[in-house]
mmCIF file of all heavy atoms in Angstrom:
data_model
loop_
_atom_site.group_PDB
_atom_site.id
_atom_site.type_symbol
_atom_site.label_atom_id
_atom_site.label_comp_id
_atom_site.label_asym_id
_atom_site.label_seq_id
_atom_site.Cartn_x
_atom_site.Cartn_y
_atom_site.Cartn_z
ATOM 1 N N THR Y 1 12.490 -10.997 42.251
ATOM 2 C CA THR Y 1 12.334 -11.078 43.768
ATOM 3 C C THR Y 1 11.133 -11.790 44.196
ATOM 4 O O THR Y 1 11.134 -12.548 45.156
ATOM 5 C CB THR Y 1 12.323 -9.598 44.308
ATOM 6 O OG1 THR Y 1 13.475 -8.918 43.899
ATOM 7 C CG2 THR Y 1 12.310 -9.602 45.872
ATOM 8 N N LEU Y 2 10.086 -11.663 43.459
ATOM 9 C CA LEU Y 2 8.863 -12.389 43.728
ATOM 10 C C LEU Y 2 9.089 -13.910 43.628
ATOM 11 O O LEU Y 2 8.710 -14.728 44.433
ATOM 12 C CB LEU Y 2 7.711 -12.026 42.739
ATOM 13 C CG LEU Y 2 6.437 -12.776 42.840
ATOM 14 C CD1 LEU Y 2 5.651 -12.395 44.116
ATOM 15 C CD2 LEU Y 2 5.590 -12.564 41.610
ATOM 16 N N ALA Y 3 9.915 -14.286 42.554
ATOM 17 C CA ALA Y 3 10.213 -15.721 42.373
ATOM 18 C C ALA Y 3 11.048 -16.249 43.462
ATOM 19 O O ALA Y 3 11.069 -17.396 43.841
ATOM 20 C CB ALA Y 3 10.858 -15.990 41.025
ATOM 21 N N VAL Y 4 11.941 -15.401 44.055
ATOM 22 C CA VAL Y 4 12.817 -15.839 45.031
ATOM 23 C C VAL Y 4 12.113 -15.983 46.459
ATOM 24 O O VAL Y 4 12.415 -16.880 47.192
ATOM 25 C CB VAL Y 4 14.052 -14.861 45.246
ATOM 26 C CG1 VAL Y 4 14.871 -15.140 46.439
ATOM 27 C CG2 VAL Y 4 14.964 -14.906 44.036
ATOM 28 N N HIS Y 5 11.202 -15.033 46.747
ATOM 29 C CA HIS Y 5 10.671 -14.997 48.054
ATOM 30 C C HIS Y 5 9.238 -15.471 48.237
ATOM 31 O O HIS Y 5 8.722 -15.514 49.432
ATOM 32 C CB HIS Y 5 10.683 -13.580 48.533
ATOM 33 C CG HIS Y 5 12.074 -13.006 48.745
ATOM 34 N ND1 HIS Y 5 12.967 -13.571 49.709
ATOM 35 C CD2 HIS Y 5 12.916 -12.167 48.029
ATOM 36 C CE1 HIS Y 5 14.116 -12.977 49.635
ATOM 37 N NE2 HIS Y 5 14.117 -12.076 48.644
ATOM 38 N N ARG Y 6 8.504 -15.824 47.197
ATOM 39 C CA ARG Y 6 7.096 -16.266 47.363
ATOM 40 C C ARG Y 6 6.903 -17.584 46.736
ATOM 41 O O ARG Y 6 7.586 -17.997 45.808
ATOM 42 C CB ARG Y 6 6.188 -15.228 46.788
ATOM 43 C CG ARG Y 6 6.144 -13.886 47.504
ATOM 44 C CD ARG Y 6 5.560 -14.148 48.882
ATOM 45 N NE ARG Y 6 5.529 -12.844 49.638
ATOM 46 C CZ ARG Y 6 6.388 -12.555 50.652
ATOM 47 N NH1 ARG Y 6 7.259 -13.402 51.037
ATOM 48 N NH2 ARG Y 6 6.219 -11.425 51.328
ATOM 49 N N PRO Y 7 5.828 -18.298 47.209
ATOM 50 C CA PRO Y 7 5.507 -19.604 46.663
ATOM 51 C C PRO Y 7 5.125 -19.563 45.142
ATOM 52 O O PRO Y 7 4.809 -18.487 44.601
ATOM 53 C CB PRO Y 7 4.318 -20.059 47.416
ATOM 54 C CG PRO Y 7 4.296 -19.224 48.621
ATOM 55 C CD PRO Y 7 4.934 -17.975 48.282
ATOM 56 N N PHE Y 8 5.135 -20.718 44.519
ATOM 57 C CA PHE Y 8 5.042 -20.838 43.086
ATOM 58 C C PHE Y 8 3.638 -20.242 42.621
ATOM 59 O O PHE Y 8 3.505 -19.682 41.570
ATOM 60 C CB PHE Y 8 5.109 -22.302 42.562
ATOM 61 C CG PHE Y 8 4.898 -22.490 41.168
ATOM 62 C CD1 PHE Y 8 5.832 -22.001 40.249
ATOM 63 C CD2 PHE Y 8 3.703 -23.063 40.665
ATOM 64 C CE1 PHE Y 8 5.606 -22.198 38.900
ATOM 65 C CE2 PHE Y 8 3.480 -23.208 39.347
ATOM 66 C CZ PHE Y 8 4.439 -22.779 38.385
ATOM 67 N N ARG Y 9 2.622 -20.388 43.425
ATOM 68 C CA ARG Y 9 1.222 -19.942 42.945
ATOM 69 C C ARG Y 9 1.257 -18.404 42.640
ATOM 70 O O ARG Y 9 0.645 -17.900 41.770
ATOM 71 C CB ARG Y 9 0.126 -20.287 43.903
ATOM 72 C CG ARG Y 9 0.270 -19.648 45.278
ATOM 73 C CD ARG Y 9 -0.883 -20.130 46.196
ATOM 74 N NE ARG Y 9 -0.783 -19.484 47.455
ATOM 75 C CZ ARG Y 9 -0.130 -20.039 48.487
ATOM 76 N NH1 ARG Y 9 0.400 -21.187 48.372
ATOM 77 N NH2 ARG Y 9 -0.093 -19.418 49.682
ATOM 78 N N TYR Y 10 2.003 -17.593 43.473
ATOM 79 C CA TYR Y 10 2.109 -16.229 43.196
ATOM 80 C C TYR Y 10 2.906 -15.972 41.926
ATOM 81 O O TYR Y 10 2.594 -15.118 41.074
ATOM 82 C CB TYR Y 10 2.750 -15.453 44.393
ATOM 83 C CG TYR Y 10 1.904 -15.526 45.560
ATOM 84 C CD1 TYR Y 10 2.343 -16.287 46.742
ATOM 85 C CD2 TYR Y 10 0.808 -14.754 45.739
ATOM 86 C CE1 TYR Y 10 1.563 -16.359 47.894
ATOM 87 C CE2 TYR Y 10 -0.020 -14.789 46.903
ATOM 88 C CZ TYR Y 10 0.396 -15.507 47.940
ATOM 89 O OH TYR Y 10 -0.277 -15.571 49.122
ATOM 90 N N VAL Y 11 4.018 -16.660 41.832
ATOM 91 C CA VAL Y 11 4.918 -16.507 40.662
ATOM 92 C C VAL Y 11 4.140 -16.850 39.331
ATOM 93 O O VAL Y 11 4.309 -16.158 38.413
ATOM 94 C CB VAL Y 11 6.221 -17.323 40.924
ATOM 95 C CG1 VAL Y 11 7.054 -17.248 39.669
ATOM 96 C CG2 VAL Y 11 6.904 -16.907 42.052
ATOM 97 N N ALA Y 12 3.448 -17.962 39.391
ATOM 98 C CA ALA Y 12 2.702 -18.412 38.265
ATOM 99 C C ALA Y 12 1.667 -17.345 37.791
ATOM 100 O O ALA Y 12 1.616 -17.046 36.595
ATOM 101 C CB ALA Y 12 2.029 -19.689 38.447
ATOM 102 N N TRP Y 13 0.894 -16.831 38.704
ATOM 103 C CA TRP Y 13 -0.173 -15.898 38.279
ATOM 104 C C TRP Y 13 0.368 -14.539 37.824
ATOM 105 O O TRP Y 13 0.033 -14.026 36.815
ATOM 106 C CB TRP Y 13 -1.173 -15.636 39.463
ATOM 107 C CG TRP Y 13 -2.115 -16.780 39.597
ATOM 108 C CD1 TRP Y 13 -2.189 -17.784 40.508
ATOM 109 C CD2 TRP Y 13 -3.307 -17.027 38.777
ATOM 110 N NE1 TRP Y 13 -3.217 -18.632 40.317
ATOM 111 C CE2 TRP Y 13 -3.893 -18.192 39.186
ATOM 112 C CE3 TRP Y 13 -3.826 -16.417 37.530
ATOM 113 C CZ2 TRP Y 13 -5.080 -18.722 38.563
ATOM 114 C CZ3 TRP Y 13 -4.953 -16.939 36.998
ATOM 115 C CH2 TRP Y 13 -5.550 -18.089 37.506
ATOM 116 N N ILE Y 14 1.390 -14.004 38.622
ATOM 117 C CA ILE Y 14 1.816 -12.727 38.339
ATOM 118 C C ILE Y 14 2.803 -12.789 37.074
ATOM 119 O O ILE Y 14 2.769 -11.955 36.236
ATOM 120 C CB ILE Y 14 2.507 -12.127 39.547
ATOM 121 C CG1 ILE Y 14 1.428 -11.865 40.638
ATOM 122 C CG2 ILE Y 14 3.233 -10.809 39.203
ATOM 123 C CD1 ILE Y 14 1.939 -11.498 41.986
ATOM 124 N N GLY Y 15 3.677 -13.875 37.058
ATOM 125 C CA GLY Y 15 4.582 -14.038 35.916
ATOM 126 C C GLY Y 15 3.753 -14.359 34.700
ATOM 127 O O GLY Y 15 4.064 -13.855 33.610
ATOM 128 N N GLY Y 16 2.661 -15.054 34.770
ATOM 129 C CA GLY Y 16 1.822 -15.329 33.643
ATOM 130 C C GLY Y 16 1.210 -14.088 33.124
ATOM 131 O O GLY Y 16 1.104 -13.915 31.849
ATOM 132 N N ALA Y 17 0.712 -13.225 33.941
ATOM 133 C CA ALA Y 17 0.155 -11.911 33.573
ATOM 134 C C ALA Y 17 1.195 -11.085 32.868
ATOM 135 O O ALA Y 17 0.963 -10.402 31.841
ATOM 136 C CB ALA Y 17 -0.377 -11.176 34.733
ATOM 137 N N ASP Y 18 2.455 -11.058 33.406
ATOM 138 C CA ASP Y 18 3.534 -10.391 32.769
ATOM 139 C C ASP Y 18 3.825 -10.843 31.350
ATOM 140 O O ASP Y 18 3.940 -10.109 30.446
ATOM 141 C CB ASP Y 18 4.778 -10.531 33.599
ATOM 142 C CG ASP Y 18 5.964 -9.662 33.141
ATOM 143 O OD1 ASP Y 18 5.661 -8.602 32.452
ATOM 144 O OD2 ASP Y 18 7.076 -10.004 33.426
ATOM 145 N N LEU Y 19 3.817 -12.201 31.219
ATOM 146 C CA LEU Y 19 3.984 -12.746 29.855
ATOM 147 C C LEU Y 19 2.824 -12.403 28.902
ATOM 148 O O LEU Y 19 3.063 -12.209 27.706
ATOM 149 C CB LEU Y 19 4.163 -14.309 29.934
ATOM 150 C CG LEU Y 19 5.528 -14.740 30.594
ATOM 151 C CD1 LEU Y 19 5.520 -16.330 30.651
ATOM 152 C CD2 LEU Y 19 6.672 -14.308 29.717
ATOM 153 N N ALA Y 20 1.696 -12.479 29.493
ATOM 154 C CA ALA Y 20 0.499 -12.169 28.576
ATOM 155 C C ALA Y 20 0.545 -10.663 28.075
ATOM 156 O O ALA Y 20 -0.015 -10.373 27.013
ATOM 157 C CB ALA Y 20 -0.784 -12.436 29.386
ATOM 158 N N LEU Y 21 1.189 -9.781 28.859
ATOM 159 C CA LEU Y 21 1.175 -8.382 28.464
ATOM 160 C C LEU Y 21 2.314 -8.059 27.498
ATOM 161 O O LEU Y 21 2.310 -6.981 26.915
ATOM 162 C CB LEU Y 21 1.282 -7.424 29.750
ATOM 163 C CG LEU Y 21 0.034 -7.468 30.560
ATOM 164 C CD1 LEU Y 21 0.263 -6.614 31.895
ATOM 165 C CD2 LEU Y 21 -1.158 -6.880 29.896
ATOM 166 N N VAL Y 22 3.246 -8.936 27.293
ATOM 167 C CA VAL Y 22 4.394 -8.643 26.439
ATOM 168 C C VAL Y 22 3.906 -8.386 24.958
ATOM 169 O O VAL Y 22 4.334 -7.325 24.390
ATOM 170 C CB VAL Y 22 5.457 -9.786 26.538
ATOM 171 C CG1 VAL Y 22 6.436 -9.661 25.381
ATOM 172 C CG2 VAL Y 22 6.137 -9.661 27.789
ATOM 173 N N PRO Y 23 3.045 -9.303 24.367
ATOM 174 C CA PRO Y 23 2.703 -8.889 23.010
ATOM 175 C C PRO Y 23 1.856 -7.568 22.956
ATOM 176 O O PRO Y 23 2.087 -6.858 21.914
ATOM 177 C CB PRO Y 23 1.708 -10.029 22.618
ATOM 178 C CG PRO Y 23 2.126 -11.131 23.545
ATOM 179 C CD PRO Y 23 2.610 -10.521 24.822
ATOM 180 N N LEU Y 24 1.128 -7.247 23.926
ATOM 181 C CA LEU Y 24 0.413 -5.985 23.949
ATOM 182 C C LEU Y 24 1.418 -4.769 23.993
ATOM 183 O O LEU Y 24 1.193 -3.804 23.298
ATOM 184 C CB LEU Y 24 -0.534 -5.954 25.159
ATOM 185 C CG LEU Y 24 -1.400 -4.695 25.277
ATOM 186 C CD1 LEU Y 24 -2.239 -4.431 24.031
ATOM 187 C CD2 LEU Y 24 -2.214 -4.722 26.529
ATOM 188 N N LEU Y 25 2.387 -4.903 24.759
ATOM 189 C CA LEU Y 25 3.446 -3.945 24.887
ATOM 190 C C LEU Y 25 4.015 -3.563 23.525
ATOM 191 O O LEU Y 25 4.164 -2.423 23.114
ATOM 192 C CB LEU Y 25 4.525 -4.305 25.918
ATOM 193 C CG LEU Y 25 5.863 -3.518 25.925
ATOM 194 C CD1 LEU Y 25 5.537 -2.111 26.517
ATOM 195 C CD2 LEU Y 25 6.889 -4.134 26.688
ATOM 196 N N TYR Y 26 4.460 -4.623 22.813
ATOM 197 C CA TYR Y 26 5.123 -4.356 21.549
ATOM 198 C C TYR Y 26 4.119 -4.096 20.411
ATOM 199 O O TYR Y 26 4.502 -3.599 19.352
ATOM 200 C CB TYR Y 26 6.049 -5.579 21.217
ATOM 201 C CG TYR Y 26 7.208 -5.598 22.136
ATOM 202 C CD1 TYR Y 26 7.333 -6.595 23.024
ATOM 203 C CD2 TYR Y 26 8.081 -4.540 22.126
ATOM 204 C CE1 TYR Y 26 8.375 -6.568 23.931
ATOM 205 C CE2 TYR Y 26 9.218 -4.511 22.990
ATOM 206 C CZ TYR Y 26 9.340 -5.518 23.891
ATOM 207 O OH TYR Y 26 10.383 -5.545 24.799
ATOM 208 N N TRP Y 27 2.869 -4.315 20.670
ATOM 209 C CA TRP Y 27 1.792 -3.827 19.714
ATOM 210 C C TRP Y 27 1.619 -2.367 19.892
ATOM 211 O O TRP Y 27 1.439 -1.655 18.896
ATOM 212 C CB TRP Y 27 0.538 -4.653 19.887
ATOM 213 C CG TRP Y 27 -0.476 -4.289 18.916
ATOM 214 C CD1 TRP Y 27 -0.587 -4.532 17.602
ATOM 215 C CD2 TRP Y 27 -1.716 -3.615 19.233
ATOM 216 N NE1 TRP Y 27 -1.676 -4.062 17.044
ATOM 217 C CE2 TRP Y 27 -2.456 -3.398 17.996
ATOM 218 C CE3 TRP Y 27 -2.221 -3.064 20.384
ATOM 219 C CZ2 TRP Y 27 -3.709 -2.780 18.019
ATOM 220 C CZ3 TRP Y 27 -3.437 -2.422 20.353
ATOM 221 C CH2 TRP Y 27 -4.126 -2.266 19.133
ATOM 222 N N LEU Y 28 1.531 -1.919 21.166
ATOM 223 C CA LEU Y 28 1.363 -0.519 21.477
ATOM 224 C C LEU Y 28 2.580 0.323 21.063
ATOM 225 O O LEU Y 28 2.470 1.513 20.667
ATOM 226 C CB LEU Y 28 1.023 -0.286 22.889
ATOM 227 C CG LEU Y 28 -0.330 -0.827 23.339
ATOM 228 C CD1 LEU Y 28 -0.484 -0.669 24.860
ATOM 229 C CD2 LEU Y 28 -1.474 -0.069 22.656
ATOM 230 N N ARG Y 29 3.803 -0.176 21.410
ATOM 231 C CA ARG Y 29 5.077 0.516 21.232
ATOM 232 C C ARG Y 29 6.014 -0.407 20.395
ATOM 233 O O ARG Y 29 6.955 -0.869 20.953
ATOM 234 C CB ARG Y 29 5.670 0.776 22.570
ATOM 235 C CG ARG Y 29 4.741 1.756 23.397
ATOM 236 C CD ARG Y 29 5.407 2.056 24.691
ATOM 237 N NE ARG Y 29 5.920 3.425 24.634
ATOM 238 C CZ ARG Y 29 6.474 4.094 25.608
ATOM 239 N NH1 ARG Y 29 6.576 3.489 26.782
ATOM 240 N NH2 ARG Y 29 6.895 5.324 25.486
ATOM 241 N N PRO Y 30 5.789 -0.488 19.116
ATOM 242 C CA PRO Y 30 6.627 -1.391 18.297
ATOM 243 C C PRO Y 30 8.035 -0.754 18.043
ATOM 244 O O PRO Y 30 8.167 0.455 18.167
ATOM 245 C CB PRO Y 30 5.879 -1.421 16.973
ATOM 246 C CG PRO Y 30 5.065 -0.211 16.910
ATOM 247 C CD PRO Y 30 4.757 0.145 18.301
ATOM 248 N N TYR Y 31 9.001 -1.569 17.897
ATOM 249 C CA TYR Y 31 10.281 -1.149 17.522
ATOM 250 C C TYR Y 31 10.271 -1.052 15.985
ATOM 251 O O TYR Y 31 9.903 -1.956 15.289
ATOM 252 C CB TYR Y 31 11.341 -2.225 17.886
ATOM 253 C CG TYR Y 31 11.800 -2.092 19.358
ATOM 254 C CD1 TYR Y 31 11.202 -2.806 20.329
ATOM 255 C CD2 TYR Y 31 12.814 -1.263 19.697
ATOM 256 C CE1 TYR Y 31 11.566 -2.715 21.649
ATOM 257 C CE2 TYR Y 31 13.243 -1.093 21.032
ATOM 258 C CZ TYR Y 31 12.622 -1.882 22.018
ATOM 259 O OH TYR Y 31 12.949 -1.735 23.253
ATOM 260 N N PRO Y 32 10.753 0.138 15.436
ATOM 261 C CA PRO Y 32 10.665 0.362 14.007
ATOM 262 C C PRO Y 32 11.600 -0.519 13.217
ATOM 263 O O PRO Y 32 11.197 -0.977 12.117
ATOM 264 C CB PRO Y 32 11.014 1.854 13.823
ATOM 265 C CG PRO Y 32 11.720 2.185 15.110
ATOM 266 C CD PRO Y 32 11.210 1.309 16.227
ATOM 267 N N ASP Y 33 12.733 -0.890 13.765
ATOM 268 C CA ASP Y 33 13.712 -1.687 12.981
ATOM 269 C C ASP Y 33 13.639 -3.189 13.111
ATOM 270 O O ASP Y 33 14.340 -3.904 12.461
ATOM 271 C CB ASP Y 33 15.146 -1.196 13.316
ATOM 272 C CG ASP Y 33 15.305 0.260 12.983
ATOM 273 O OD1 ASP Y 33 14.515 0.858 12.167
ATOM 274 O OD2 ASP Y 33 16.170 0.925 13.597
ATOM 275 N N LEU Y 34 12.865 -3.681 14.095
ATOM 276 C CA LEU Y 34 12.914 -5.001 14.495
ATOM 277 C C LEU Y 34 11.472 -5.628 14.243
ATOM 278 O O LEU Y 34 10.515 -5.023 14.424
ATOM 279 C CB LEU Y 34 13.306 -5.216 15.947
ATOM 280 C CG LEU Y 34 14.684 -4.775 16.336
ATOM 281 C CD1 LEU Y 34 14.882 -4.832 17.777
ATOM 282 C CD2 LEU Y 34 15.753 -5.525 15.562
ATOM 283 N N PRO Y 35 11.456 -6.947 13.919
ATOM 284 C CA PRO Y 35 10.119 -7.564 13.656
ATOM 285 C C PRO Y 35 9.428 -7.826 14.981
ATOM 286 O O PRO Y 35 10.061 -8.086 16.008
ATOM 287 C CB PRO Y 35 10.513 -8.934 12.990
ATOM 288 C CG PRO Y 35 11.914 -9.128 13.346
ATOM 289 C CD PRO Y 35 12.573 -7.829 13.582
#
């Protein structure tokens, strides 16, 4: 919804933060069966 309704500068910063947190998420809560 952010990407649909707001300019690219918001999408870039917030989406970039989301992407940066993905490795941390799977480091904190790893899947036992998947790499």
Side-chain angles (χ1 to χ4, degrees):
T1 305
L2 177 74
V4 170
H5 294 290
R6 291 296 179 253
F8 178 72
R9 65 180 179 269
Y10 295 108
V11 177
W13 281 105
I14 296 170
D18 187 26
L19 288 176
L21 290 175
V22 167
L24 180 61
L25 169 69
Y26 291 112
W27 182 70
L28 292 174
R29 299 181 104 174
Y31 278 93
D33 301 336
L34 299 173

